[in-house]
């Protein structure tokens, strides 16, 4: 396209067009590749996607801004659909204890684990919490992430859970990223309720959740269904309350033991069930019927030296979409690289590089309930893209500790990641 095309149009058809790009649209099969492609953007949305040859045939193809991708790859902006990235302090001491043979459950029962991060979060001011968390967000954004889910769950009282969710929302306002917040008050029983988990759940349903809903601070409600956390009955109570507020649910299920969490999640049409190393085929088929996405978290699997892999073959057999996420948290997964999760998803869980990339694009969008808005390069979706210096999209699963991201487009606006790093 020549400059004259722009001049001819007083009111150009597009705000910007990316030309000479290799596209992995992630819609259809085989990465949805369009070699020598173009993406046109209008009002922050994808207005047109196709080949350069098709673009040349469009009667009206003027644009205010032209970006020449010079053959580099464009994918949907990456989506990290499960993080606990708002937290204070760290738990390197517990990491050392685990290396010496203590288990995650033992440390948790002895007052460490989630409770130790709870103390750090309660002690942190809102601005301290923001400052600690934005560093981790930077790391994700520099690798092409344009949407991120952030959970509460280290406040464990009304004031501090609200504080965490506000910080998460504020991160979304301060940075070029869509933040989806999740209320995870049912992450652990706080010390004030020691031995009274049922009372804590009642308080969550009657006080905390209504406050969160009133301030519209949560896009979803999550819980930790595990023998060191909450039972099926307790989670059921919470999910009933979430349903009354019209907030969708998701569940940490089958991380350490199989308690039937996948079935429970499915029976509430959960957006997703997460971890899932310990689930059976019943759970998988229930998820398939409910269209609940399996969110796999190889960082936590790796850090806990878990040996049971999530049943990837069963997810394939039952056509359960599989997403991958960092689970960024100070205990089980101090991970701030979504690209690393692609590699681990392949090496540790046996995903193909294409499945891994779908797991941080199309399927991750579904896991957040925003599959109609983001996750693929298709007309009508948000213009959230990532630009990569790679020869093929399988490379995104291949490197470890190397970041080929050149920039992102968020809602149509280009951000040069490498300049930001300079
Ligand atoms: O996803 N499983 C529960 N929650 C986190 C761990 C949180 C923590 O240890 O701080 C997880 O692994
Ligand atoms: Fe988690």
């Amino acid at each position: 396209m020549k400059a004259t095309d722009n001049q001819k149009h007083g009111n150009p058809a597009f705000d910007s067009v990316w030309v000479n790009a290799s596209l992995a649209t992630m819609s259809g099969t085989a990465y949805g590749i369009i070699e020598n492609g173009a993406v046109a953007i209008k009002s922050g949305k994808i207005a047109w996607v196709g080949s350069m040859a098709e673009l040349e045939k469009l009667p009206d193809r003027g644009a205010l801004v032209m970006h020449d991708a010079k053959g580099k790859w464009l994918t949907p902006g990456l989506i990290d659909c499960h993080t606990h990235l708002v937290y204070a302090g760290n738990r390197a001491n517990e990491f050392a204890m685990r290396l010496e043979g203590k288990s995650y459950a033992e440390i948790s029962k002895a007052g460490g684990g989630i409770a130790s991060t709870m103390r750090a979060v309660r002690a942190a001011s809102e601005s301290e919490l923001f400052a600690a968390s934005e560093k981790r967000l930077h790391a994700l954004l520099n690798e092409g992430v344009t949407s991120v889910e952030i959970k509460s769950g280290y406040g464990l009282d009304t004031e501090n859970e609200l504080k965490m969710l506000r910080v998460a929302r504020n991160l979304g306002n301060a940075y070029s990223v869509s933040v989806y917040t999740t209320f995870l008050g049912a992450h652990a029983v706080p010390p004030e309720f020691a031995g009274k988990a049922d009372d804590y759940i009642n308080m969550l349903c009657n006080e905390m959740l209504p406050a969160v809903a009133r301030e519209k601070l949560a896009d979803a409600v999550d819980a930790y269904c595990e023998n060191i956390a909450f039972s099926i009955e307790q989670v059921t109570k919470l999910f009933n309350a979430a349903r009354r507020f019209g907030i969708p649910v998701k569940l940490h299920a089958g991380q350490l033991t199989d308690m039937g969490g996948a079935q429970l999640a499915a029976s509430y049409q959960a957006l997703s069930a997460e971890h899932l190393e310990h689930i059976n085929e019943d759970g998988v088929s229930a998820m398939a019927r409910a269209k609940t996405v399996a969110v796999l978290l190889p960082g936590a699997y790796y850090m806990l030296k878990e040996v049971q892999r999530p049943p990837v073959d069963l997810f394939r057999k039952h056509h359960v979409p599989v997403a991958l996420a960092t689970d960024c948290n100070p205990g089980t997964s101090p991970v701030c690289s979504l690209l690393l999760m692609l590699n681990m998803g392949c090496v540790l869980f046996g995903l193909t590089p294409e499945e891994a990339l779908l797991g941080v694009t199309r399927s991750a969008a579904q896991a957040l309930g925003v599959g109609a808005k983001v996750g693929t390069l298709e007309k009508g979706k948000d213009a959230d893209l990532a630009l990569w210096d790679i020869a093929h999209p399988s490379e995104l699963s291949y490197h470890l500790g190397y970041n080929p991201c050149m920039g992102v487009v968020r809602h149509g606006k280009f951000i040069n990641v490498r300049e930001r790093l300079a």
Side-chain angles (χ1 to χ4, degrees):
M1 205 182 313
K2 293 172 228 84
T4 47
D5 288 333
N6 294 345
Q7 288 154 9
K8 274 196 304 220
H9 295 268
N11 190 8
F14 305 124
D15 295 335
S16 59
V17 181
W18 285 83
V19 296
N20 303 320
S22 306
L23 305 179
T25 64
M26 305 315 285
S27 82
T29 54
Y31 297 97
I33 286 177
I34 302 176
E35 301 277 6
N36 207 6
V39 179
I41 297 166
K42 177 87 179 171
S43 304
K45 304 269 180 207
I46 297 175
W48 185 90
V49 183
S51 68
M52 286 299 289
E54 289 162 339
L55 179 72
E56 296 294 340
K57 287 191 212 124
L58 286 185
D60 198 4
R61 58 183 192 274
L64 292 173
V65 183
M66 300 283 287
H67 298 277
D68 189 343
K70 299 185 179 148
K72 303 294 186 208
W73 284 82
L74 283 171
T75 65
L78 304 191
I79 301 168
D80 193 351
C81 66
H82 178 143
T83 86
H84 309 247
L85 80 75
V86 168
Y87 66 82
N90 75 66
R91 308 220 302 268
N93 59 331
E94 294 182 8
F95 172 56
M97 286 161 76
R98 287 205 306 275
L99 292 175
E100 283 163 15
K102 283 250 177 321
S103 76
Y104 179 69
E106 277 166 353
I107 294 169
S108 156
K109 281 185 199 134
I114 293 168
S116 115
T117 300
M118 178 209 74
R119 291 188 285 275
V121 164
R122 287 183 178 180
S125 70
E126 198 159 322
S127 61
E128 286 166 343
L129 198 52
F130 183 97
S133 307
E134 73 181 334
K135 297 181 201 164
R136 293 182 280 273
L137 183 63
H138 285 167
L140 294 178
L141 301 186
N142 287 335
E143 285 189 353
V145 168
T146 52
S147 299
V148 63
E149 185 254 19
I150 303 178
K151 300 172 194 295
S152 67
Y154 293 120
L156 307 181
D157 63 21
T158 305
E159 178 194 338
N160 288 291
E161 285 292 303
L162 292 178
K163 177 173 82 181
M164 287 188 72
L165 291 168
R166 274 196 305 272
V167 168
R169 284 269 197 252
N170 288 340
L171 286 168
N173 296 332
Y175 289 94
S176 264
V177 63
S178 302
V179 169
Y180 297 91
T181 54
T182 299
F183 172 57
L184 178 57
H187 198 191
V189 179
E192 308 83 79
F193 284 86
K196 294 185 291 185
D198 285 326
D199 293 351
Y200 181 60
I201 288 288
N202 287 339
M203 195 277 275
L204 277 184
C205 297
N206 300 330
E207 183 186 321
M208 253 199 243
L209 183 58
V212 167
R214 204 163 38 241
E215 299 196 28
K216 298 199 180 359
L217 280 172
D219 302 311
V221 169
D222 191 356
Y224 188 21
C225 186
E226 191 53 68
N227 58 13
I228 57 165
F230 296 97
S231 68
I232 291 284
E233 293 70 30
Q234 289 161 341
V235 175
T236 301
K237 218 169 189 185
L238 177 69
F239 279 6
N240 284 335
R243 189 173 264 178
R244 286 197 292 278
F245 285 104
I247 306 176
V249 298
K250 54 178 79 175
L251 191 62
H252 281 72
Q255 183 183 19
L256 309 171
T257 54
D258 186 358
M259 312 224 311
Q263 288 89 330
L264 174 68
S267 72
Y268 280 80
Q269 271 75 46
L271 293 169
S272 59
E274 344 245 320
H275 288 286
L276 305 176
E277 281 86 352
H278 301 266
I279 70 165
N280 58 35
E281 188 158 5
D282 270 0
V284 177
S285 64
M287 286 173 65
R289 285 191 299 277
K291 299 198 173 6
T292 297
V293 176
V295 177
L296 306 187
L297 306 167
Y301 171 94
Y302 165 79
M303 284 294 286
L304 296 180
K305 298 188 188 171
E306 177 59 72
V307 286
Q308 181 154 333
R309 290 158 44 143
V312 165
D313 284 336
L314 290 179
F315 296 135
R316 289 189 185 118
K317 175 179 162 194
H318 291 273
H319 305 289
V320 172
V322 169
L324 283 173
T326 60
D327 195 11
C328 175
N329 78 66
T332 60
S333 190
V335 170
C336 293
S337 168
L338 191 54
L339 290 177
L340 180 60
M341 298 303 99
L342 297 189
N343 178 275
M344 287 190 175
C346 295
V347 175
L348 301 177
F349 294 167
L351 298 179
T352 66
E354 186 188 2
E355 286 172 330
L357 190 55
L358 281 167
V360 296
T361 54
R362 191 169 83 196
S363 303
Q366 248 176 289
L368 294 176
V370 290
K373 221 163 78 103
V374 287
T376 62
L377 302 184
E378 287 178 288
K379 185 177 170 181
K381 290 203 175 175
D382 287 356
D384 286 1
L385 290 70
L387 179 67
W388 306 97
D389 185 7
I390 52 176
H392 188 270
S394 59
E395 248 183 77
L396 296 176
S397 296
Y398 160 71
H399 299 282
L400 286 93
Y402 172 71
N403 178 12
C405 186
M406 301 172 72
V408 297
V409 176
R410 172 142 188 288
H411 292 181
K413 191 169 157 278
F414 182 57
I415 299 151
N416 184 321
V417 168
R418 290 189 173 158
E419 272 172 19
R420 189 162 60 190
L421 287 174

